[in-house]
Structure formats: C-alpha cells, structure tokens
Amino acid sequence: MTDLPPESLVGKTIAVLGGTGPQGRGLARRFAAAGLAVVIGSRDPQRAAGTATELAMATGGSVSGTDNAAAAAAGDIVVVAVPWEGHADLLQGLATSLAGKVVVDCVNPLGFDKQGAYALAIEEGSAAQQAQALLPESVVVGAFHNVSAVKLDDPETASVDTDVLVVADVREAGDLVRDLAGCIPGVRGVYGGRLRNAHQIEALTANLISVNRRYKAHAGIRITDI
Amino acid sequence: MTDLPPESLVGKTIAVLGGTGPQGRGLARRFAAAGLAVVIGSRDPQRAAGTATELAMATGGSVSGTDNAAAAAAGDIVVVAVPWEGHADLLQGLATSLAGKVVVDCVNPLGFDKQGAYALAIEEGSAAQQAQALLPESVVVGAFHNVSAVKLDDPETASVDTDVLVVADVREAGDLVRDLAGCIPGVRGVYGGRLRNAHQIEALTANLISVNRRYKAHAGIRITDI
C-alpha cells in the first residue's frame, strides 16, 4: 500500500464482477494495493475466494471473494468486468441490488476472426448503454476499457502508463470513477464525454489489439494537452 | 522547411481536398513546411488559390490551389478533408482520377446538439469504408482523425503532441501514410488496424471534443508502450 485513497473513496467497498478474469483481476489487484476494500465476484465463488486470497497476500490489502450476486450486493461501487457474452444476462438479475449505486462498465464488445479483433454492433449503442438500460436505478459510468490487463495484473509494473477515459452522464459519478482510476499508479482518469459516446472507447480496444500485434506491446492511450 | 521528407515521399505531390477548411488547411501547412509539394483543392478554386498563396508564403514551401477535381488529378497521394456532408458526393465523381492512388480519408462523421458531439451511424461502417466502397480502384487509408486543426494550423506550435492512428488494409499504403504523418513535427504515425476498425477512430473525435470543452484544451492522443 502506498498513498491513501482520495477522500471520495474512503470507506467505500469496490466490487469487481468477473474479478477472476484478466481485466477484473488486474483492477482488483490495483484497487486493493491502493488501500480500498475489494470484493471479487465470479460465477464460481470458490475461484473468487482463491483469487481474493492471492491478491490479499500479494498486496497486503483487504480482498474477499464470493459469487457475482453477493459481490454486487456488497459493493458501494460495482465494477463490471465480465465477458461481453454474459453481460446482459448477469446485469438483468442484479437491477435491484445495484439500485442507487455507481456501476462502472469496462466491457468491450469485440469479435475475433483471422484478421484480428473488430467491434460488434450493439443494439443499445454500447455495452455501457446496455448496462444503463438494464439498470435504470443505477448510475452507469464507462471506464477502464483501454487499460492493458497484463500491465494491471503484473506486480513488476510499478506504474501503468495510460489514461482512463471516463464517460458519464452524471458529473459526480464520473468524478468518483476518475478518482478510482487515479488510485492506480501512473493512471489519470480523464472525462471523455457522455455515455452515448461510450461505443468508440469500447471499440478502440480492437485497434489497440492491432497495435499490440504489430508492435509487440501492451498499448495504452494518453490524452495530450491536458 | 526543416528536415527532408522520407524517401517514400520524395517527388510525391500531396493533394488536400477540402484544403481551405480548418483540418485540411492545417495539414496542407504542415506538409508544405516538410518540403512536400502540396495542391489544395476546394469547391471554390479562388479560395483555394488564396489559401495556397498564404501557406506558400508562411512555409516557404510549394503550394498551389485549384478545384477539388483538378487537385485530385494532380495528387500522387490524395487527402480527403471535406465536411462529412459532402463526402460521398465528392468522391463519387472522382473515382476515375483517384484510381491507382492512395487516398487518405480523415473525415469524422459527427453530429452536434446541445449536449455536444456524437458519432453518426454510417451505412458502410465509417467514412473511410464509404470512401473505399466509392473508390474501388484506389487504396483508402484512414488517418489524421484526432489531430487538433488548431494546433496544425498554428505557426507558433512547433511540435504537435499527438500520434496519428493509421488504419489500412494494404500494408505499403499504411506505411506510406505513416511516413506522411511523421512529416509533422512531434507526430508519430502508428498502425492502428484494418479499415473495418476505422469507425471508432473517427468517432473518438467526439470524445476529444468533450475533453476540449471540459479541460479547455486542444487534445490529442498518444499510444503508450510503443
């Protein structure tokens, strides 16, 4: 643990649904390392408990693991890092336990074929907008789409060289998630517009996958002039 | 004029269609300053000639102005920087004179309302893919979408702090356009995937407009870890 978390996050529990997947696990590691209480959710609560134990030992932080529904209920801020395929089904069942909470969607709806990754067409416009449609009593914020899972989950990476674009329709919720992003060393949370402009940030991950292949990198993005 | 242009661009004439608009004018300025021969195209050839004279004086480079059709015919590499509204109509009439050439599409199909900018839905997927559909005998490359027109056209801005994501289906054409981007001081041309992933780069400009409003900036993007 290094610095204390910002005031807006003091005493808040961060739930990470899909927290045993690469992105979710990497975020959970960084949040725990920042001194935040983390609850990992997974379809498989035993796997979640195993990951939680590992991350607690690695970070010295407070991490527990359970199923996705219990994690959703336990979190003050709930990060959704599940595969796109299970996104709608999972959120449909959680509308009540997520009511009144800030839900952070970091899901990238991508397809893959021989030519690499490509963006899927989403009826609601984006994964974040789908989440907001399914969770009318939550405030959905889009973030953490373009951060390398490898870098997040690598204890040797002291500082993650990327900005996190945060899309939000409610300013306070966006600012809270910007603070959350800022808990990761090296990362800035940058306001990137309203939820209706989430699609291209999710889809940009397909381009970053192409960058990673061509340049043998774990690319991220920085916003310049700010 | 500073450094010589890279070998791939020696002797090449760069046409900029829509070269009197902010983005086109800024690109024409930078290409001329890099020692490339530039032909500015515009619906209004007199306006093109006026801009050309200004930029030639400002840069000490070779810049001429004419109508869009004559510029398209004159260019070895043809940059399309027209407003989205006129994109399809213009390109439809130029298929013959653009045959066999590299066409660089930098058009961002955006709508604007009280809440700011948003991405338009494009039947072909993106402006770049529309261009490729209308120009079957050209090689269309997407680039220069996220570069601040203000910074490009500002003679006081010695170095433009941004990367240019280049999307291309033909590697040699993509590499050529990366070289073209690299002629602008401060800019790196970065391969960003295939043409089918152009949409999100075009649309990301809506997010950067939101960044500019919130942070009073002229934002660009950098790709990290490469």
Side-chain angles (χ1 to χ4, degrees), chain B residues 123-163:
Chain B
E123 203 188 319
E124 296 85 354
S126 61
Q129 286 164 293
Q130 184 187 77
Q132 188 61 82
L134 292 170
L135 306 172
E137 300 191 46
S138 306
V139 178
V140 173
V141 174
F144 302 112
H145 298 98
N146 310 130
V147 192
S148 162
V150 173
K151 298 270 186 188
L152 284 175
D153 202 30
D154 174 18
E156 305 293 308
T157 300
S159 177
V160 182
D161 185 12
T162 199
D163 288 336

PDB file of all heavy atoms in Angstrom, chain B residues 123-163:
ATOM      1  N   GLU B 123     -23.746   3.827 -42.939  1.00  0.00           N
ATOM      2  CA  GLU B 123     -24.165   2.557 -43.546  1.00  0.00           C
ATOM      3  C   GLU B 123     -22.963   1.652 -43.830  1.00  0.00           C
ATOM      4  O   GLU B 123     -23.004   0.451 -43.552  1.00  0.00           O
ATOM      5  CB  GLU B 123     -24.896   2.866 -44.847  1.00  0.00           C
ATOM      6  CG  GLU B 123     -25.840   1.760 -45.280  1.00  0.00           C
ATOM      7  CD  GLU B 123     -26.388   2.037 -46.683  1.00  0.00           C
ATOM      8  OE1 GLU B 123     -26.708   3.205 -46.979  1.00  0.00           O
ATOM      9  OE2 GLU B 123     -26.435   1.077 -47.471  1.00  0.00           O
ATOM     10  N   GLU B 124     -21.900   2.225 -44.360  1.00  0.00           N
ATOM     11  CA  GLU B 124     -20.737   1.410 -44.729  1.00  0.00           C
ATOM     12  C   GLU B 124     -19.851   1.097 -43.526  1.00  0.00           C
ATOM     13  O   GLU B 124     -18.854   0.391 -43.664  1.00  0.00           O
ATOM     14  CB  GLU B 124     -19.896   2.131 -45.785  1.00  0.00           C
ATOM     15  CG  GLU B 124     -20.598   2.351 -47.121  1.00  0.00           C
ATOM     16  CD  GLU B 124     -21.461   3.609 -47.141  1.00  0.00           C
ATOM     17  OE1 GLU B 124     -21.602   4.260 -46.057  1.00  0.00           O
ATOM     18  OE2 GLU B 124     -21.988   3.958 -48.202  1.00  0.00           O
ATOM     19  N   GLY B 125     -20.165   1.654 -42.358  1.00  0.00           N
ATOM     20  CA  GLY B 125     -19.374   1.400 -41.148  1.00  0.00           C
ATOM     21  C   GLY B 125     -18.587   2.622 -40.709  1.00  0.00           C
ATOM     22  O   GLY B 125     -18.443   2.882 -39.532  1.00  0.00           O
ATOM     23  N   SER B 126     -18.045   3.348 -41.662  1.00  0.00           N
ATOM     24  CA  SER B 126     -17.210   4.513 -41.354  1.00  0.00           C
ATOM     25  C   SER B 126     -17.062   5.342 -42.636  1.00  0.00           C
ATOM     26  O   SER B 126     -17.360   4.863 -43.741  1.00  0.00           O
ATOM     27  CB  SER B 126     -15.829   4.061 -40.877  1.00  0.00           C
ATOM     28  OG  SER B 126     -15.179   3.305 -41.894  1.00  0.00           O
ATOM     29  N   ALA B 127     -16.574   6.549 -42.483  1.00  0.00           N
ATOM     30  CA  ALA B 127     -16.290   7.388 -43.658  1.00  0.00           C
ATOM     31  C   ALA B 127     -15.228   6.713 -44.524  1.00  0.00           C
ATOM     32  O   ALA B 127     -15.324   6.703 -45.760  1.00  0.00           O
ATOM     33  CB  ALA B 127     -15.826   8.771 -43.214  1.00  0.00           C
ATOM     34  N   ALA B 128     -14.217   6.147 -43.884  1.00  0.00           N
ATOM     35  CA  ALA B 128     -13.133   5.509 -44.646  1.00  0.00           C
ATOM     36  C   ALA B 128     -13.657   4.337 -45.466  1.00  0.00           C
ATOM     37  O   ALA B 128     -13.276   4.149 -46.629  1.00  0.00           O
ATOM     38  CB  ALA B 128     -12.033   5.037 -43.692  1.00  0.00           C
ATOM     39  N   GLN B 129     -14.535   3.536 -44.869  1.00  0.00           N
ATOM     40  CA  GLN B 129     -15.097   2.401 -45.617  1.00  0.00           C
ATOM     41  C   GLN B 129     -16.034   2.883 -46.721  1.00  0.00           C
ATOM     42  O   GLN B 129     -16.102   2.288 -47.789  1.00  0.00           O
ATOM     43  CB  GLN B 129     -15.840   1.465 -44.658  1.00  0.00           C
ATOM     44  CG  GLN B 129     -14.885   0.652 -43.796  1.00  0.00           C
ATOM     45  CD  GLN B 129     -15.586   0.033 -42.615  1.00  0.00           C
ATOM     46  OE1 GLN B 129     -16.050   0.735 -41.713  1.00  0.00           O
ATOM     47  NE2 GLN B 129     -15.683  -1.290 -42.608  1.00  0.00           N
ATOM     48  N   GLN B 130     -16.742   3.982 -46.485  1.00  0.00           N
ATOM     49  CA  GLN B 130     -17.568   4.555 -47.551  1.00  0.00           C
ATOM     50  C   GLN B 130     -16.686   4.980 -48.714  1.00  0.00           C
ATOM     51  O   GLN B 130     -17.005   4.740 -49.883  1.00  0.00           O
ATOM     52  CB  GLN B 130     -18.367   5.757 -47.034  1.00  0.00           C
ATOM     53  CG  GLN B 130     -19.305   6.332 -48.078  1.00  0.00           C
ATOM     54  CD  GLN B 130     -19.955   7.627 -47.623  1.00  0.00           C
ATOM     55  OE1 GLN B 130     -19.334   8.681 -47.641  1.00  0.00           O
ATOM     56  NE2 GLN B 130     -21.200   7.540 -47.206  1.00  0.00           N
ATOM     57  N   ALA B 131     -15.567   5.630 -48.387  1.00  0.00           N
ATOM     58  CA  ALA B 131     -14.638   6.055 -49.437  1.00  0.00           C
ATOM     59  C   ALA B 131     -14.130   4.850 -50.228  1.00  0.00           C
ATOM     60  O   ALA B 131     -14.089   4.873 -51.467  1.00  0.00           O
ATOM     61  CB  ALA B 131     -13.462   6.819 -48.819  1.00  0.00           C
ATOM     62  N   GLN B 132     -13.779   3.785 -49.516  1.00  0.00           N
ATOM     63  CA  GLN B 132     -13.275   2.597 -50.219  1.00  0.00           C
ATOM     64  C   GLN B 132     -14.350   1.989 -51.119  1.00  0.00           C
ATOM     65  O   GLN B 132     -14.056   1.537 -52.228  1.00  0.00           O
ATOM     66  CB  GLN B 132     -12.758   1.572 -49.214  1.00  0.00           C
ATOM     67  CG  GLN B 132     -12.040   0.396 -49.844  1.00  0.00           C
ATOM     68  CD  GLN B 132     -10.784   0.801 -50.635  1.00  0.00           C
ATOM     69  OE1 GLN B 132      -9.731   0.988 -50.080  1.00  0.00           O
ATOM     70  NE2 GLN B 132     -10.909   0.945 -51.959  1.00  0.00           N
ATOM     71  N   ALA B 133     -15.591   2.017 -50.652  1.00  0.00           N
ATOM     72  CA  ALA B 133     -16.687   1.480 -51.468  1.00  0.00           C
ATOM     73  C   ALA B 133     -16.897   2.328 -52.718  1.00  0.00           C
ATOM     74  O   ALA B 133     -17.201   1.803 -53.795  1.00  0.00           O
ATOM     75  CB  ALA B 133     -17.974   1.422 -50.633  1.00  0.00           C
ATOM     76  N   LEU B 134     -16.720   3.640 -52.598  1.00  0.00           N
ATOM     77  CA  LEU B 134     -16.932   4.544 -53.742  1.00  0.00           C
ATOM     78  C   LEU B 134     -15.720   4.594 -54.662  1.00  0.00           C
ATOM     79  O   LEU B 134     -15.831   5.045 -55.805  1.00  0.00           O
ATOM     80  CB  LEU B 134     -17.245   5.960 -53.236  1.00  0.00           C
ATOM     81  CG  LEU B 134     -18.583   6.125 -52.510  1.00  0.00           C
ATOM     82  CD1 LEU B 134     -18.658   7.494 -51.838  1.00  0.00           C
ATOM     83  CD2 LEU B 134     -19.745   5.941 -53.482  1.00  0.00           C
ATOM     84  N   LEU B 135     -14.569   4.178 -54.174  1.00  0.00           N
ATOM     85  CA  LEU B 135     -13.313   4.254 -54.939  1.00  0.00           C
ATOM     86  C   LEU B 135     -12.679   2.864 -55.018  1.00  0.00           C
ATOM     87  O   LEU B 135     -11.607   2.616 -54.463  1.00  0.00           O
ATOM     88  CB  LEU B 135     -12.337   5.222 -54.243  1.00  0.00           C
ATOM     89  CG  LEU B 135     -12.849   6.635 -53.951  1.00  0.00           C
ATOM     90  CD1 LEU B 135     -11.849   7.396 -53.083  1.00  0.00           C
ATOM     91  CD2 LEU B 135     -13.117   7.401 -55.245  1.00  0.00           C
ATOM     92  N   PRO B 136     -13.325   1.945 -55.724  1.00  0.00           N
ATOM     93  CA  PRO B 136     -12.855   0.555 -55.691  1.00  0.00           C
ATOM     94  C   PRO B 136     -11.459   0.372 -56.280  1.00  0.00           C
ATOM     95  O   PRO B 136     -10.789  -0.611 -55.962  1.00  0.00           O
ATOM     96  CB  PRO B 136     -13.907  -0.203 -56.521  1.00  0.00           C
ATOM     97  CG  PRO B 136     -14.606   0.831 -57.328  1.00  0.00           C
ATOM     98  CD  PRO B 136     -14.554   2.098 -56.535  1.00  0.00           C
ATOM     99  N   GLU B 137     -11.016   1.321 -57.109  1.00  0.00           N
ATOM    100  CA  GLU B 137      -9.677   1.158 -57.705  1.00  0.00           C
ATOM    101  C   GLU B 137      -8.612   1.998 -56.998  1.00  0.00           C
ATOM    102  O   GLU B 137      -7.491   2.128 -57.493  1.00  0.00           O
ATOM    103  CB  GLU B 137      -9.740   1.499 -59.192  1.00  0.00           C
ATOM    104  CG  GLU B 137     -10.732   0.577 -59.927  1.00  0.00           C
ATOM    105  CD  GLU B 137     -10.648   0.688 -61.426  1.00  0.00           C
ATOM    106  OE1 GLU B 137      -9.510   0.668 -61.943  1.00  0.00           O
ATOM    107  OE2 GLU B 137     -11.700   0.841 -62.059  1.00  0.00           O
ATOM    108  N   SER B 138      -8.968   2.578 -55.867  1.00  0.00           N
ATOM    109  CA  SER B 138      -7.986   3.297 -55.046  1.00  0.00           C
ATOM    110  C   SER B 138      -7.709   2.470 -53.789  1.00  0.00           C
ATOM    111  O   SER B 138      -8.458   1.555 -53.457  1.00  0.00           O
ATOM    112  CB  SER B 138      -8.530   4.663 -54.617  1.00  0.00           C
ATOM    113  OG  SER B 138      -8.960   5.408 -55.737  1.00  0.00           O
ATOM    114  N   VAL B 139      -6.619   2.805 -53.110  1.00  0.00           N
ATOM    115  CA  VAL B 139      -6.363   2.200 -51.799  1.00  0.00           C
ATOM    116  C   VAL B 139      -6.659   3.263 -50.743  1.00  0.00           C
ATOM    117  O   VAL B 139      -5.940   4.267 -50.638  1.00  0.00           O
ATOM    118  CB  VAL B 139      -4.904   1.721 -51.666  1.00  0.00           C
ATOM    119  CG1 VAL B 139      -4.665   1.152 -50.267  1.00  0.00           C
ATOM    120  CG2 VAL B 139      -4.603   0.657 -52.720  1.00  0.00           C
ATOM    121  N   VAL B 140      -7.718   3.071 -49.994  1.00  0.00           N
ATOM    122  CA  VAL B 140      -8.107   4.065 -48.988  1.00  0.00           C
ATOM    123  C   VAL B 140      -7.442   3.723 -47.655  1.00  0.00           C
ATOM    124  O   VAL B 140      -7.439   2.561 -47.229  1.00  0.00           O
ATOM    125  CB  VAL B 140      -9.635   4.136 -48.836  1.00  0.00           C
ATOM    126  CG1 VAL B 140     -10.025   5.049 -47.673  1.00  0.00           C
ATOM    127  CG2 VAL B 140     -10.278   4.612 -50.139  1.00  0.00           C
ATOM    128  N   VAL B 141      -6.897   4.735 -47.027  1.00  0.00           N
ATOM    129  CA  VAL B 141      -6.262   4.624 -45.711  1.00  0.00           C
ATOM    130  C   VAL B 141      -6.920   5.685 -44.813  1.00  0.00           C
ATOM    131  O   VAL B 141      -7.123   6.818 -45.249  1.00  0.00           O
ATOM    132  CB  VAL B 141      -4.739   4.891 -45.824  1.00  0.00           C
ATOM    133  CG1 VAL B 141      -4.084   4.916 -44.445  1.00  0.00           C
ATOM    134  CG2 VAL B 141      -4.083   3.847 -46.721  1.00  0.00           C
ATOM    135  N   GLY B 142      -7.239   5.324 -43.605  1.00  0.00           N
ATOM    136  CA  GLY B 142      -7.786   6.288 -42.650  1.00  0.00           C
ATOM    137  C   GLY B 142      -6.688   6.855 -41.765  1.00  0.00           C
ATOM    138  O   GLY B 142      -5.852   6.093 -41.272  1.00  0.00           O
ATOM    139  N   ALA B 143      -6.662   8.174 -41.591  1.00  0.00           N
ATOM    140  CA  ALA B 143      -5.622   8.797 -40.751  1.00  0.00           C
ATOM    141  C   ALA B 143      -5.984  10.247 -40.440  1.00  0.00           C
ATOM    142  O   ALA B 143      -6.891  10.808 -41.053  1.00  0.00           O
ATOM    143  CB  ALA B 143      -4.269   8.756 -41.460  1.00  0.00           C
ATOM    144  N   PHE B 144      -5.274  10.846 -39.522  1.00  0.00           N
ATOM    145  CA  PHE B 144      -5.382  12.273 -39.181  1.00  0.00           C
ATOM    146  C   PHE B 144      -6.756  12.653 -38.595  1.00  0.00           C
ATOM    147  O   PHE B 144      -7.183  13.795 -38.711  1.00  0.00           O
ATOM    148  CB  PHE B 144      -5.096  13.163 -40.404  1.00  0.00           C
ATOM    149  CG  PHE B 144      -3.735  12.941 -41.008  1.00  0.00           C
ATOM    150  CD1 PHE B 144      -3.598  12.368 -42.264  1.00  0.00           C
ATOM    151  CD2 PHE B 144      -2.593  13.306 -40.324  1.00  0.00           C
ATOM    152  CE1 PHE B 144      -2.341  12.156 -42.829  1.00  0.00           C
ATOM    153  CE2 PHE B 144      -1.321  13.114 -40.879  1.00  0.00           C
ATOM    154  CZ  PHE B 144      -1.201  12.529 -42.144  1.00  0.00           C
ATOM    155  N   HIS B 145      -7.452  11.686 -37.989  1.00  0.00           N
ATOM    156  CA  HIS B 145      -8.786  11.983 -37.473  1.00  0.00           C
ATOM    157  C   HIS B 145      -8.757  12.787 -36.188  1.00  0.00           C
ATOM    158  O   HIS B 145      -9.649  13.575 -35.919  1.00  0.00           O
ATOM    159  CB  HIS B 145      -9.534  10.675 -37.197  1.00  0.00           C
ATOM    160  CG  HIS B 145      -9.738   9.849 -38.417  1.00  0.00           C
ATOM    161  ND1 HIS B 145      -8.922   8.801 -38.740  1.00  0.00           N
ATOM    162  CD2 HIS B 145     -10.651   9.940 -39.418  1.00  0.00           C
ATOM    163  CE1 HIS B 145      -9.339   8.265 -39.886  1.00  0.00           C
ATOM    164  NE2 HIS B 145     -10.368   8.940 -40.326  1.00  0.00           N
ATOM    165  N   ASN B 146      -7.745  12.533 -35.359  1.00  0.00           N
ATOM    166  CA  ASN B 146      -7.783  13.039 -33.985  1.00  0.00           C
ATOM    167  C   ASN B 146      -6.773  14.147 -33.737  1.00  0.00           C
ATOM    168  O   ASN B 146      -6.452  14.459 -32.593  1.00  0.00           O
ATOM    169  CB  ASN B 146      -7.529  11.884 -32.999  1.00  0.00           C
ATOM    170  CG  ASN B 146      -8.407  10.663 -33.256  1.00  0.00           C
ATOM    171  OD1 ASN B 146      -7.916   9.560 -33.326  1.00  0.00           O
ATOM    172  ND2 ASN B 146      -9.693  10.886 -33.426  1.00  0.00           N
ATOM    173  N   VAL B 147      -6.269  14.743 -34.814  1.00  0.00           N
ATOM    174  CA  VAL B 147      -5.271  15.799 -34.669  1.00  0.00           C
ATOM    175  C   VAL B 147      -5.990  17.147 -34.610  1.00  0.00           C
ATOM    176  O   VAL B 147      -6.823  17.445 -35.455  1.00  0.00           O
ATOM    177  CB  VAL B 147      -4.305  15.823 -35.867  1.00  0.00           C
ATOM    178  CG1 VAL B 147      -3.120  16.707 -35.568  1.00  0.00           C
ATOM    179  CG2 VAL B 147      -3.856  14.426 -36.232  1.00  0.00           C
ATOM    180  N   SER B 148      -5.638  17.944 -33.643  1.00  0.00           N
ATOM    181  CA  SER B 148      -6.259  19.261 -33.493  1.00  0.00           C
ATOM    182  C   SER B 148      -5.965  20.147 -34.702  1.00  0.00           C
ATOM    183  O   SER B 148      -4.806  20.446 -35.015  1.00  0.00           O
ATOM    184  CB  SER B 148      -5.733  19.939 -32.232  1.00  0.00           C
ATOM    185  OG  SER B 148      -5.986  21.335 -32.279  1.00  0.00           O
ATOM    186  N   ALA B 149      -7.017  20.589 -35.382  1.00  0.00           N
ATOM    187  CA  ALA B 149      -6.851  21.509 -36.513  1.00  0.00           C
ATOM    188  C   ALA B 149      -6.207  22.815 -36.051  1.00  0.00           C
ATOM    189  O   ALA B 149      -5.402  23.410 -36.769  1.00  0.00           O
ATOM    190  CB  ALA B 149      -8.208  21.784 -37.164  1.00  0.00           C
ATOM    191  N   VAL B 150      -6.550  23.227 -34.844  1.00  0.00           N
ATOM    192  CA  VAL B 150      -5.989  24.474 -34.308  1.00  0.00           C
ATOM    193  C   VAL B 150      -4.472  24.367 -34.185  1.00  0.00           C
ATOM    194  O   VAL B 150      -3.726  25.266 -34.592  1.00  0.00           O
ATOM    195  CB  VAL B 150      -6.627  24.807 -32.938  1.00  0.00           C
ATOM    196  CG1 VAL B 150      -5.941  26.005 -32.299  1.00  0.00           C
ATOM    197  CG2 VAL B 150      -8.120  25.054 -33.099  1.00  0.00           C
ATOM    198  N   LYS B 151      -4.011  23.265 -33.624  1.00  0.00           N
ATOM    199  CA  LYS B 151      -2.559  23.072 -33.459  1.00  0.00           C
ATOM    200  C   LYS B 151      -1.868  22.950 -34.814  1.00  0.00           C
ATOM    201  O   LYS B 151      -0.773  23.479 -35.012  1.00  0.00           O
ATOM    202  CB  LYS B 151      -2.281  21.796 -32.646  1.00  0.00           C
ATOM    203  CG  LYS B 151      -2.834  21.834 -31.238  1.00  0.00           C
ATOM    204  CD  LYS B 151      -1.812  22.398 -30.274  1.00  0.00           C
ATOM    205  CE  LYS B 151      -2.326  22.281 -28.848  1.00  0.00           C
ATOM    206  NZ  LYS B 151      -1.472  22.977 -27.889  1.00  0.00           N
ATOM    207  N   LEU B 152      -2.492  22.223 -35.726  1.00  0.00           N
ATOM    208  CA  LEU B 152      -1.877  22.042 -37.045  1.00  0.00           C
ATOM    209  C   LEU B 152      -1.678  23.382 -37.743  1.00  0.00           C
ATOM    210  O   LEU B 152      -0.660  23.623 -38.390  1.00  0.00           O
ATOM    211  CB  LEU B 152      -2.766  21.163 -37.938  1.00  0.00           C
ATOM    212  CG  LEU B 152      -2.773  19.664 -37.687  1.00  0.00           C
ATOM    213  CD1 LEU B 152      -3.805  18.997 -38.594  1.00  0.00           C
ATOM    214  CD2 LEU B 152      -1.402  19.044 -37.916  1.00  0.00           C
ATOM    215  N   ASP B 153      -2.670  24.237 -37.635  1.00  0.00           N
ATOM    216  CA  ASP B 153      -2.645  25.484 -38.410  1.00  0.00           C
ATOM    217  C   ASP B 153      -1.997  26.635 -37.652  1.00  0.00           C
ATOM    218  O   ASP B 153      -2.001  27.767 -38.126  1.00  0.00           O
ATOM    219  CB  ASP B 153      -4.076  25.849 -38.829  1.00  0.00           C
ATOM    220  CG  ASP B 153      -4.078  26.783 -40.038  1.00  0.00           C
ATOM    221  OD1 ASP B 153      -3.148  26.698 -40.864  1.00  0.00           O
ATOM    222  OD2 ASP B 153      -5.012  27.609 -40.135  1.00  0.00           O
ATOM    223  N   ASP B 154      -1.448  26.331 -36.464  1.00  0.00           N
ATOM    224  CA  ASP B 154      -0.849  27.393 -35.652  1.00  0.00           C
ATOM    225  C   ASP B 154       0.666  27.432 -35.866  1.00  0.00           C
ATOM    226  O   ASP B 154       1.368  26.515 -35.433  1.00  0.00           O
ATOM    227  CB  ASP B 154      -1.168  27.138 -34.167  1.00  0.00           C
ATOM    228  CG  ASP B 154      -0.444  28.118 -33.262  1.00  0.00           C
ATOM    229  OD1 ASP B 154       0.014  29.179 -33.758  1.00  0.00           O
ATOM    230  OD2 ASP B 154      -0.333  27.829 -32.051  1.00  0.00           O
ATOM    231  N   PRO B 155       1.176  28.456 -36.509  1.00  0.00           N
ATOM    232  CA  PRO B 155       2.615  28.510 -36.775  1.00  0.00           C
ATOM    233  C   PRO B 155       3.447  28.559 -35.493  1.00  0.00           C
ATOM    234  O   PRO B 155       4.642  28.226 -35.509  1.00  0.00           O
ATOM    235  CB  PRO B 155       2.799  29.793 -37.589  1.00  0.00           C
ATOM    236  CG  PRO B 155       1.466  30.429 -37.726  1.00  0.00           C
ATOM    237  CD  PRO B 155       0.448  29.627 -36.997  1.00  0.00           C
ATOM    238  N   GLU B 156       2.831  28.961 -34.380  1.00  0.00           N
ATOM    239  CA  GLU B 156       3.549  29.016 -33.105  1.00  0.00           C
ATOM    240  C   GLU B 156       3.724  27.624 -32.487  1.00  0.00           C
ATOM    241  O   GLU B 156       4.521  27.455 -31.557  1.00  0.00           O
ATOM    242  CB  GLU B 156       2.799  29.890 -32.095  1.00  0.00           C
ATOM    243  CG  GLU B 156       2.494  31.302 -32.582  1.00  0.00           C
ATOM    244  CD  GLU B 156       3.781  32.113 -32.755  1.00  0.00           C
ATOM    245  OE1 GLU B 156       4.563  32.164 -31.803  1.00  0.00           O
ATOM    246  OE2 GLU B 156       3.992  32.662 -33.871  1.00  0.00           O
ATOM    247  N   THR B 157       2.935  26.660 -32.946  1.00  0.00           N
ATOM    248  CA  THR B 157       3.040  25.302 -32.405  1.00  0.00           C
ATOM    249  C   THR B 157       4.134  24.562 -33.169  1.00  0.00           C
ATOM    250  O   THR B 157       3.916  24.016 -34.250  1.00  0.00           O
ATOM    251  CB  THR B 157       1.692  24.557 -32.523  1.00  0.00           C
ATOM    252  OG1 THR B 157       0.706  25.272 -31.781  1.00  0.00           O
ATOM    253  CG2 THR B 157       1.792  23.131 -31.984  1.00  0.00           C
ATOM    254  N   ALA B 158       5.334  24.548 -32.579  1.00  0.00           N
ATOM    255  CA  ALA B 158       6.483  23.954 -33.265  1.00  0.00           C
ATOM    256  C   ALA B 158       6.333  22.443 -33.377  1.00  0.00           C
ATOM    257  O   ALA B 158       6.718  21.835 -34.372  1.00  0.00           O
ATOM    258  CB  ALA B 158       7.767  24.299 -32.523  1.00  0.00           C
ATOM    259  N   SER B 159       5.733  21.829 -32.379  1.00  0.00           N
ATOM    260  CA  SER B 159       5.612  20.381 -32.333  1.00  0.00           C
ATOM    261  C   SER B 159       4.178  20.032 -31.925  1.00  0.00           C
ATOM    262  O   SER B 159       3.660  20.580 -30.954  1.00  0.00           O
ATOM    263  CB  SER B 159       6.622  19.832 -31.325  1.00  0.00           C
ATOM    264  OG  SER B 159       6.493  18.446 -31.188  1.00  0.00           O
ATOM    265  N   VAL B 160       3.553  19.147 -32.670  1.00  0.00           N
ATOM    266  CA  VAL B 160       2.168  18.767 -32.389  1.00  0.00           C
ATOM    267  C   VAL B 160       2.194  17.474 -31.571  1.00  0.00           C
ATOM    268  O   VAL B 160       2.638  16.437 -32.057  1.00  0.00           O
ATOM    269  CB  VAL B 160       1.366  18.581 -33.691  1.00  0.00           C
ATOM    270  CG1 VAL B 160      -0.086  18.233 -33.365  1.00  0.00           C
ATOM    271  CG2 VAL B 160       1.422  19.842 -34.555  1.00  0.00           C
ATOM    272  N   ASP B 161       1.731  17.565 -30.332  1.00  0.00           N
ATOM    273  CA  ASP B 161       1.887  16.472 -29.373  1.00  0.00           C
ATOM    274  C   ASP B 161       0.780  15.434 -29.551  1.00  0.00           C
ATOM    275  O   ASP B 161      -0.173  15.366 -28.774  1.00  0.00           O
ATOM    276  CB  ASP B 161       1.869  17.061 -27.954  1.00  0.00           C
ATOM    277  CG  ASP B 161       2.150  16.006 -26.890  1.00  0.00           C
ATOM    278  OD1 ASP B 161       2.572  14.893 -27.249  1.00  0.00           O
ATOM    279  OD2 ASP B 161       1.936  16.317 -25.704  1.00  0.00           O
ATOM    280  N   THR B 162       0.903  14.610 -30.584  1.00  0.00           N
ATOM    281  CA  THR B 162      -0.118  13.580 -30.818  1.00  0.00           C
ATOM    282  C   THR B 162       0.435  12.480 -31.710  1.00  0.00           C
ATOM    283  O   THR B 162       1.379  12.691 -32.466  1.00  0.00           O
ATOM    284  CB  THR B 162      -1.378  14.213 -31.458  1.00  0.00           C
ATOM    285  OG1 THR B 162      -2.489  13.335 -31.284  1.00  0.00           O
ATOM    286  CG2 THR B 162      -1.207  14.453 -32.956  1.00  0.00           C
ATOM    287  N   ASP B 163      -0.167  11.308 -31.585  1.00  0.00           N
ATOM    288  CA  ASP B 163       0.067  10.245 -32.556  1.00  0.00           C
ATOM    289  C   ASP B 163      -1.092  10.253 -33.548  1.00  0.00           C
ATOM    290  O   ASP B 163      -2.196  10.698 -33.234  1.00  0.00           O
ATOM    291  CB  ASP B 163       0.126   8.876 -31.859  1.00  0.00           C
ATOM    292  CG  ASP B 163       1.396   8.692 -31.038  1.00  0.00           C
ATOM    293  OD1 ASP B 163       2.397   9.366 -31.343  1.00  0.00           O
ATOM    294  OD2 ASP B 163       1.381   7.872 -30.104  1.00  0.00           O
TER     295      ASP B 163
END
